[in-house]
Amino acid sequence: MATVTWEDTGTEHIATDLSERILTITLNRPERLNAWTPTMARELVGAFDRADADDEVGAIIVTGAGRGFCAGADLAAGGETFDWRKRGEQAEQPEDNGGQFALRIFNSLKPVIAAINGPAVGVGATMTLPMDVRLAAEDARIGFVFTRRGIVPEASSSWFLPRVVGISRAMEWVATGRVFSAREALQTGLVRSLHPGSELLGAARELAHEIVDNAAPVSVALARRMLWRMLGAEHPMVAHRADSRAIFYRGQSADAVEGVTSFLEKRPAHFSDRVSDGLPDIQPDWVEPEYR
């Protein structure tokens, strides 16, 4: 079984903790309301890489240290914050690092839960969109504030946000750039549930346990890939082909035998198939797009 040591990963702007097969990744710049930095972006991508390689990780929770989730980009550089040339970037068309992280989440083999414990603004909001479920503290505030800073939404959010809440609501939030309440986020389906701040992480862990204690990890990984990819499919036949291949492969697995047998014997299932051994290729025509 592939394992990774999480106790000392040498990170600066995030913290990680693995307990009971649940990996908690904490944005860890509380003195700056966990404002986004290139270092944080690299460390988050690295943490997801390690999580995918570790069979002990069954689910991931992302939250923030202190009273904020993420206040967006660190604005310490003032008016030059978003001028990549001022940062010495030489690429003709540099990649947005928020988008790099969003796409890394999109390709995650483990389910991802956002525990939005406080303000989530800018990239602090967009980074949660490719996460599978979002829970929020009752007093959290969320904002897609880009137009008020003279820029535009990033982190692939022009693809994710309309799919989460619909085009009309997405455009309203983006065009106005206003910060809105957790209650509005709940009413529009952006978040799944609201919780007192002291109970938020416990609620996220309870949901994560529903996954890690009951579901076959390979089936979860494969189902996650199927659902996210199908958001862009041009016809249900694409899903039918993938579903059929997936059922064919998983139907022959030790997990399928165990899942049915444990149900008939009225006992908890003990699934043995490992994500690190690879997933069946259920979309042989799938080509991962390149950035260019």
Side-chain angles (χ1 to χ4, degrees):
M1 177 176 291
T3 58
V4 177
T5 300
W6 292 96
E7 288 75 12
D8 182 16
T9 56
T11 53
E12 298 179 52
H13 292 172
I14 69 170
T16 56
D17 175 72
L18 178 61
S19 175
E20 299 176 320
R21 301 193 61 232
I22 300 168
L23 175 65
T24 302
I25 300 175
T26 303
L27 311 180
N28 196 28
R29 301 184 72 216
E31 74 286 355
R32 298 286 295 173
L33 283 178
N34 305 315
W36 181 264
T37 67
T39 297
M40 181 180 288
R42 288 192 299 272
E43 292 178 350
L44 284 166
V45 170
F48 271 72
D49 288 345
R50 294 194 300 274
D52 272 0
D54 189 351
D55 289 318
E56 284 301 307
V57 176
I60 300 171
I61 296 172
V62 180
T63 193
R67 64 185 183 87
F69 180 76
C70 176
D74 193 318
L75 302 180
E80 298 180 353
T81 296
F82 301 109
D83 188 343
W84 288 30
R85 299 302 177 194
K86 298 291 186 181
R87 293 187 245 163
E89 176 61 58
Q90 299 300 314
E92 182 66 26
Q93 187 60 62
E95 283 192 67
D96 158 44
N97 57 25
Q100 290 174 323
F101 179 47
L103 291 172
R104 183 61 191 84
I105 301 172
F106 178 83
N107 287 316
S108 174
L109 300 178
K110 312 299 171 72
V112 187
I113 300 168
I116 304 171
N117 57 301
V121 177
V123 68
T126 57
M127 77 163 74
T128 71
L129 299 176
M131 299 180 190
D132 301 301
V133 185
R134 287 162 295 279
L135 286 66
E138 293 171 336
D139 59 353
R141 303 276 289 173
I142 300 168
F144 301 91
V145 299
F146 307 98
T147 57
R148 296 196 180 198
R149 305 293 180 265
I151 57 171
V152 295
E154 37 58 274
S156 303
S157 56
S158 58
W159 191 91
F160 286 107
L161 185 58
R163 285 167 169 79
V164 174
V165 299
I167 185 63
S168 180
R169 181 67 67 171
M171 192 59 212
E172 177 198 336
W173 284 342
V174 167
T176 64
R178 66 183 176 86
V179 176
F180 52 92
S181 69
R183 178 61 56 184
E184 182 173 341
L186 176 67
Q187 292 170 342
T188 54
L190 180 62
V191 302
R192 170 243 200 203
S193 54
L194 303 184
H195 307 269
S198 61
E199 299 175 12
L200 175 65
L201 199 54
R205 287 189 64 84
E206 182 178 356
L207 176 58
H209 270 295
E210 280 289 322
I211 300 169
V212 302
D213 295 346
N214 299 295
V218 172
S219 294
V220 172
L222 197 57
R224 185 183 194 277
R225 177 173 291 179
M226 291 159 65
L227 266 63
W228 277 107
R229 284 185 179 180
M230 290 309 151
L231 286 178
E234 69 274 13
H235 191 280
M237 179 57 76
V238 179
H240 177 56
R241 293 170 184 152
D243 296 350
S244 298
R245 292 188 182 101
I247 286 290
F248 173 76
Y249 288 120
R250 291 303 287 155
Q252 304 172 61
S253 70
D255 280 355
V257 174
E258 172 64 7
V260 173
T261 303
S262 62
F263 174 76
L264 295 175
E265 295 178 352
K266 297 181 172 56
R267 60 170 175 81
H270 302 285
F271 297 112
S272 59
D273 291 345
R274 300 178 299 181
V275 173
S276 63
D277 288 336
L279 303 183
D281 184 6
I282 61 169
Q283 287 183 274
D285 296 330
W286 173 267
V287 176
E288 190 71 25
E290 297 181 2
Y291 180 83
R292 60 181 183 269

